[in-house]
Amino acid sequence: MIQIDMEIKAFVSAWRHCDYVSTYMARMISQNRSDSVRHSNLFSSAFNELLEIAFRTRHADGELACRVSRHGATDRIELTFPCVPGERQFYEEAMSQVAGFEARERYLNSVSGDIAASREVVLLELAVDYNATLRVEEADGDAIRLVVDLPLEGLQN
């Protein structure tokens, strides 16, 4: 449906880029949903969280690619960004935790203050609150791709 590419240096030069990109993408893809305002708000919020993860990358070179596609009620976000090897290992381990049966319990513990807030908490939030399916994929070069399927059209208020 839509893709935005930008140099990671330009993206990480200002925190507000996370909000700008997520808001723009949300407005573009939500216009034909049954409740476009609700869908746009939910999508923007979820996507902003993912962009903030990419914003914290410690890799100074490369591109940020944000691609959104749709299949039925599910929007797929593919977020590709530069990643150092240690971060890649973190994401692979975090994704296995998000997919486990304990994801809801881990998330509830994190919001109650029992574990420190982290990028993992953002991933858990997407899985639990947004019913998202998440996975990590290899990308070309020193990059990683986070793939998030968001079934927002079917979420209950």
Side-chain angles (χ1 to χ4, degrees):
M1 289 177 45
I2 189 169
Q3 180 167 330
I4 295 176
D5 298 333
M6 65 190 315
E7 289 295 319
I8 196 70
K9 283 182 182 179
F11 177 69
V12 300
S13 69
W15 182 256
R16 66 183 178 272
H17 291 153
C18 297
D19 181 53
Y20 292 163
V21 171
S22 64
T23 300
Y24 175 78
M25 296 285 265
R27 287 180 179 165
M28 291 298 106
I29 66 130
S30 298
Q31 60 187 337
N32 64 347
R33 289 302 197 179
S34 60
D35 185 344
S36 62
V37 173
R38 178 180 179 274
H39 188 272
S40 180
N41 286 337
L42 288 170
F43 184 89
S44 179
S45 178
F47 193 33
N48 188 64
E49 295 292 335
L50 284 172
L51 289 170
E52 288 178 5
I53 288 173
F55 185 87
R56 292 183 174 94
T57 187
R58 294 187 301 260
H59 204 293
D61 294 314
E63 254 191 25
L64 172 78
C66 310
R67 179 177 178 212
V68 179
S69 58
R70 176 175 293 154
H71 182 69
T74 301
D75 294 317
R76 173 171 287 170
I77 299 169
E78 295 176 44
L79 185 64
T80 306
F81 57 95
C83 185
V84 298
E87 287 178 317
R88 182 182 313 271
Q89 182 178 355
F90 162 79
Y91 288 117
E92 290 168 353
E93 290 173 7
M95 290 299 181
S96 69
Q97 297 295 324
V98 167
F101 287 108
E102 301 85 24
R104 183 171 190 74
E105 183 179 330
R106 289 179 60 79
Y107 176 64
L108 292 175
N109 286 338
S110 72
V111 295
S112 68
D114 292 346
I115 65 174
S118 68
R119 294 171 292 178
E120 181 187 7
V121 173
V122 170
L123 299 173
L124 286 167
E125 177 184 19
L126 291 171
V128 174
D129 287 347
Y130 292 89
N131 198 29
T133 304
L134 301 98
R135 71 177 184 275
V136 63
E137 294 180 351
E138 291 293 322
D140 293 337
D142 293 331
I144 193 166
R145 180 175 300 119
L146 302 182
V147 179
V148 180
D149 290 331
L150 292 166
L152 299 178
E153 192 73 356
L155 279 180
Q156 300 298 315
N157 291 333

